[in-house]
Amino acid sequence: MKKNEVTTADNLQIGDRFYFLNDKNKVVWEMVEHEKKVTNYQTYSNWCIPASVSDGRGSDTFKAAFVKPIRKETKVVYLRSKEGFI
């Protein structure tokens, strides 16, 4: 994918950075692995965390408090992949 490309959350991979299309503050988020959650409404398989928390020096249990589910149809703006920066 190219930088600043509008896509859906389902097209992102673990480690990709993005912001939500309708976010005027453009807060950067990162896709993370998390267990699938099944509710009466839907099944959540895509999870993200704020990039500032991901880059910080907290424990994994601290970071787990910030994990947020997102719907696969949610429109996001792709920024970059974490793979190229490791």
Side-chain angles (χ1 to χ4, degrees):
M1 262 189 271
K2 295 182 181 178
K3 185 177 180 176
N4 296 325
E5 181 179 340
V6 176
T7 185
T8 59
D10 198 37
N11 293 332
L12 298 175
Q13 298 175 352
I14 303 301
D16 286 353
R17 299 246 172 144
F18 65 93
Y19 64 87
F20 294 103
L21 184 62
N22 60 353
D23 185 9
K24 71 175 187 174
N25 294 326
K26 298 183 180 180
V27 176
V28 178
W29 293 79
E30 180 179 332
M31 294 294 289
V32 293
E33 274 191 62
H34 198 272
E35 61 188 42
K36 189 180 284 190
K37 181 177 181 179
V38 179
T39 64
N40 290 336
Y41 178 63
Q42 77 176 44
T43 301
Y44 294 102
S45 57
N46 297 322
W47 298 83
C48 62
I49 189 170
S52 59
V53 174
S54 176
D55 293 341
R57 281 196 254 158
S59 64
D60 288 339
T61 55
F62 170 76
K63 291 179 182 179
F66 291 93
V67 175
K68 172 184 171 183
I70 56 175
R71 299 179 68 179
K72 64 182 181 179
E73 301 89 14
T74 304
K75 292 196 183 243
V76 298
V77 178
Y78 172 81
L79 295 175
R80 67 175 175 89
S81 177
K82 198 171 187 178
E83 287 181 6
F85 295 92
I86 295 178

